[in-house]
Amino acid sequence: MTRRPVTSEPAPAAQPAAAQPSTDGEARSGGRLFIVATPIGNLSDVTLRALEVLRTVPLVVAEDTRISRRLLVRHGIDARLTSFHARNAAARLPDLLAHLRGGLDLALVTDAGTPGVSDPGEELVRAWATEGGSIVPIPGPSAVLAAIVASGLAGPRWSFEGFLPRSGRDRRERLGRIAADERATVLFESPNRVVATLVDLAAACGPDRPIAICRELTKVHEEVVRGSVGHLATLGRQGALTLRGEFVLVVGASMGGTVTATEPLAAADAIRAARAEVERHVAQGMARGEAARRVAWSSGLPRRSLYQAPDHQDRETAAGARGSRPPP
Amino acid sequence: MTRRPVTSEPAPAAQPAAAQPSTDGEARSGGRLFIVATPIGNLSDVTLRALEVLRTVPLVVAEDTRISRRLLVRHGIDARLTSFHARNAAARLPDLLAHLRGGLDLALVTDAGTPGVSDPGEELVRAWATEGGSIVPIPGPSAVLAAIVASGLAGPRWSFEGFLPRSGRDRRERLGRIAADERATVLFESPNRVVATLVDLAAACGPDRPIAICRELTKVHEEVVRGSVGHLATLGRQGALTLRGEFVLVVGASMGGTVTATEPLAAADAIRAARAEVERHVAQGMARGEAARRVAWSSGLPRRSLYQAPDHQDRETAAGARGSRPPP
């Protein structure tokens, strides 16, 4: 079989010039390994080029062929599918490389999102790159980027940490680094571990650190809950967060300053502290509505609860507890 | 104008349940802010849902309306476009928030890729999030993710650093952190600064650190050059790298161990060192072809040049210079 053209562009589709000094040119006659991003939930989150590639390649390599078949059927594509996952990766790799060496193209997909990040496909990509083969990314959905965008917290630099270790020194070290990082951090978490991770993040970063809990992104029940990590940890412990579906957490950047490990503030304390912060903004000339809005955002408390001024004693306690950093 | 449905799904399009504890519910009657990822080069890299959203929203907010118009025209979409960029962001923000508060949807796009990352749109997203408004990410292309995939270097965790500072202590500190990071790092760089950054990375990380230089991703002249940062810095200084277009660099993770700042090896030294490494692998039982392939990958040298064994003296020098860590 010869290479079929994969393009719906007036200009030819990206064909890496393959000027790779790491290779001797031998592999240029090999097939192209297309790394195709697929939906993370909504089946319409697929690009025109992804559909064109999936339609024209002689072989699609999928993590779970049943899941990928659903996407293909939805878009009327009858591709040849084969599975490639953690359990069969070692056995399949030589065949797939032989396919590529033979000059045939191949599309790699995963169950959701962009392949090559925490999945067995990484090994195929690395192996073909090592041989100097053509690797063509077909960009599209990624849960990491979708969460960054939905959070409104990321700024110009950020880290992706995947899943945290479940316990032990490794977990503590990673939490400590997230706490100190002046970049936002994106984490994956399973539903039954979200609350534990919120509690640990509140202890490591202090309760004021802003966070966005993204659930079921792009799906029918998509939900983004924003607030301070302390407040959301408290809500989580009280059973007030929905804990179904897929979670991506975006932890705001450290704004500098020393953070000591503390328990999240109790709800009453949190409201008192937040009201004090509103008063502080008002004293500095900010309109009360705007101050309440900002503090609601940074504290995760209902705006309504923030209109009543605290008494003097509260204000002092609160200012100390919440520090003097402005909301993000 | 009323909200038009934005869906091509049997299930309704994602409508965030907006169970945001940070808001008082007031904004649920507001419009939805769709954050729409657009192509990073190839105009077919756009999702079905992105096209549907752009087709149906009453207003599209773009960084450069001429660039976004090109995409819309290409896909037969006649949307109302308005600009939102660094120079007019402060003046436009109140109008856009008023539009959303009035219950009208709005789609935010940038010139390329996923908005909300290093662009003025971030401010709009943050402001609408602060009011508790609905924010709906429409995931799609991102240069960061495309580079990660194309590099074959990223692994399960990575950092995005954007553009490095051009000089001074800030730049040195960031380079130092990249050198020490056990995660891969993604960097943006302008064509006329790529060589300087490669040289500095080689000094900070040592010449052996693997790197992928991604150029013009998804475009006609897409190119991914992989090799060691020392070798590619040398090639760059010799004028042997193409320095046109848009660059994304993916620096491999630190594999641990101490790295001292060194100049990149001269070409002859690099070949001698690489040949020594091949011999070392062969002595440990690896097939010569496989050893040459691996070392070609990690050193960025042509595989062909690695078949000749070095003399004994070379081997000693080289082993010291290159360290004993296996290629990635």
Side-chain angles (χ1 to χ4, degrees):
Chain A
M1 201 183 279
T2 57
R3 278 202 221 169
R4 295 194 241 162
V6 174
T7 173
S8 56
E9 285 288 299
Q15 293 176 334
Q20 303 185 354
S22 60
T23 74
D24 53 12
E26 159 218 55
R28 286 183 210 175
S29 56
R32 289 169 293 177
L33 172 53
F34 292 100
I35 310 177
V36 182
T38 56
I40 58 173
N42 189 315
L43 291 183
S44 293
D45 288 341
V46 62
T47 68
L48 302 180
R49 193 153 66 118
L51 293 175
E52 185 64 20
V53 166
L54 294 173
R55 193 170 281 127
T56 50
V57 289
L59 183 63
V60 176
V61 174
E63 212 173 342
D64 180 335
T65 54
R66 291 163 305 177
I67 289 174
S68 299
R69 178 69 68 195
R70 214 173 297 151
L71 174 70
L72 296 175
V73 165
R74 165 66 189 275
H75 296 288
I77 295 172
D78 182 30
R80 190 177 143 221
L81 268 173
T82 189
S83 71
F84 187 68
H85 45 64
R87 293 179 307 288
N88 71 6
R92 285 278 163 91
L93 191 59
D95 290 346
L96 299 178
L97 289 172
H99 174 101
L100 287 163
R101 286 187 202 117
L104 298 178
D105 292 343
L106 186 160
L108 174 70
V109 300
T110 54
D111 293 349
T114 302
V117 177
S118 304
D119 59 65
E122 201 184 335
E123 210 178 331
L124 174 59
V125 175
R126 202 166 285 205
W128 192 228
T130 304
E131 298 195 17
S134 273
I135 292 168
V136 186
I138 307 293
S142 142
V144 178
L145 262 288
I148 282 171
V149 161
S151 73
L153 282 180
R157 303 157 58 217
W158 33 266
S159 298
F160 170 59
E161 276 288 321
F163 289 91
L164 289 179
R166 293 193 158 210
S167 61
R169 195 178 129 198
D170 256 17
R171 181 174 174 90
R172 285 194 303 279
E173 280 182 2
R174 293 252 207 119
L175 285 162
R177 261 182 293 174
I178 292 169
D181 205 330
E182 85 283 26
R183 301 168 293 196
T185 301
V186 182
L187 297 170
F188 287 168
E189 196 46 279
S190 59
N192 62 345
R193 307 250 342 134
V194 164
V195 176
T197 292
L198 290 173
V199 169
D200 287 354
L201 282 168
C205 306
D208 295 352
R209 185 72 66 89
I211 189 169
I213 305 178
C214 305
R215 188 171 74 81
E216 296 284 82
L217 284 173
T218 81
K219 298 182 187 172
V220 177
H221 297 293
E222 174 173 288
E223 181 185 58
V224 181
V225 181
R226 300 182 191 86
S228 71
V229 66
H231 179 60
L232 296 185
T234 303
L235 287 184
R237 289 209 277 204
Q238 291 167 350
L241 296 176
T242 308
L243 298 175
R244 277 189 303 277
E246 294 185 336
F247 284 84
V248 189
L249 311 181
V250 183
V251 184
S254 164
M255 307 296 280
T258 329
V259 170
T260 49
T262 55
E263 280 297 289
L265 296 175
D269 288 347
I271 288 181
R272 225 174 286 133
R275 283 178 184 166
E277 196 174 13
V278 169
E279 291 308 308
R280 210 158 39 72
H281 286 309
V282 170
Q284 286 165 9
M286 190 182 286
R288 187 170 294 272
E290 170 67 3
R293 184 176 293 134
R294 287 210 189 183
V295 175
W297 157 251
S298 68
S299 68
L301 294 167
R303 200 169 108 190
R304 223 181 257 126
S305 68
L306 303 182
Y307 279 102
Q308 192 193 325
D311 59 37
H312 181 71
Q313 195 196 336
D314 280 341
R315 191 182 306 185
E316 291 217 319
T317 320
R322 300 197 48 87
S324 62
R325 99 170 67 116
Chain B
M1 200 183 282
T2 57
R3 278 202 218 166
R4 295 192 243 165
V6 174
T7 173
S8 56
E9 284 288 298
Q15 295 177 332
Q20 301 187 356
S22 60
T23 75
D24 52 13
E26 161 217 56
R28 288 184 207 172
S29 56
R32 290 169 292 177
L33 172 53
F34 292 101
I35 311 178
V36 182
T38 56
I40 58 173
N42 189 316
L43 290 183
S44 293
D45 287 342
V46 63
T47 69
L48 301 180
R49 193 152 68 119
L51 293 174
E52 185 65 18
V53 166
L54 294 172
R55 194 170 281 128
T56 51
V57 289
L59 183 64
V60 176
V61 174
E63 212 172 344
D64 181 335
T65 54
R66 290 163 305 179
I67 289 174
S68 299
R69 179 69 68 196
R70 214 173 296 151
L71 173 69
L72 296 175
V73 165
R74 164 67 190 276
H75 296 289
I77 295 172
D78 182 29
R80 192 178 142 220
L81 267 174
T82 188
S83 70
F84 187 68
H85 46 62
R87 292 181 307 289
N88 71 6
R92 285 278 163 92
L93 190 59
D95 290 346
L96 299 178
L97 290 173
H99 173 101
L100 288 162
R101 287 187 201 118
L104 298 178
D105 291 343
L106 186 161
L108 174 70
V109 300
T110 53
D111 293 349
T114 302
V117 178
S118 303
D119 59 64
E122 200 185 336
E123 211 177 330
L124 173 60
V125 175
R126 203 167 285 206
W128 192 228
T130 303
E131 298 195 17
S134 273
I135 293 169
V136 186
I138 307 292
S142 142
V144 177
L145 262 287
I148 282 171
V149 161
S151 73
L153 281 181
R157 302 157 60 215
W158 33 266
S159 298
F160 170 58
E161 275 289 320
F163 289 92
L164 289 179
R166 292 194 158 209
S167 59
R169 197 179 129 196
D170 256 17
R171 181 174 173 91
R172 285 194 303 278
E173 280 181 3
R174 294 253 207 116
L175 285 162
R177 263 182 295 174
I178 292 167
D181 205 330
E182 86 283 26
R183 300 168 296 198
T185 301
V186 182
L187 296 170
F188 287 168
E189 196 48 279
S190 59
N192 61 346
R193 309 248 341 134
V194 164
V195 176
T197 292
L198 290 173
V199 169
D200 287 354
L201 282 168
C205 306
D208 294 349
R209 185 72 65 91
I211 190 169
I213 305 178
C214 305
R215 189 171 73 83
E216 296 285 78
L217 284 173
T218 80
K219 298 181 187 173
V220 176
H221 297 294
E222 175 174 286
E223 182 185 57
V224 180
V225 181
R226 301 182 190 84
S228 72
V229 66
H231 179 60
L232 295 185
T234 303
L235 287 184
R237 288 209 280 206
Q238 290 166 350
L241 295 178
T242 307
L243 298 173
R244 275 189 304 278
E246 294 185 338
F247 285 84
V248 189
L249 311 181
V250 183
V251 184
S254 164
M255 307 296 280
T258 329
V259 169
T260 49
T262 55
E263 279 297 290
L265 297 173
D269 287 346
I271 289 180
R272 225 174 286 134
R275 285 180 184 164
E277 195 174 14
V278 169
E279 291 309 307
R280 210 158 38 74
H281 286 309
V282 170
Q284 286 165 9
M286 189 181 287
R288 187 169 294 273
E290 171 66 3
R293 183 177 293 134
R294 287 210 187 184
V295 175
W297 158 251
S298 69
S299 67
L301 294 166
R303 200 167 110 191
R304 224 181 256 122
S305 67
L306 303 182
Y307 279 103
Q308 192 192 325
D311 59 37
H312 182 70
Q313 192 195 338
D314 280 347
R315 191 182 305 188
E316 290 220 317
T317 319
R322 302 195 48 86
S324 61
R325 95 169 72 114

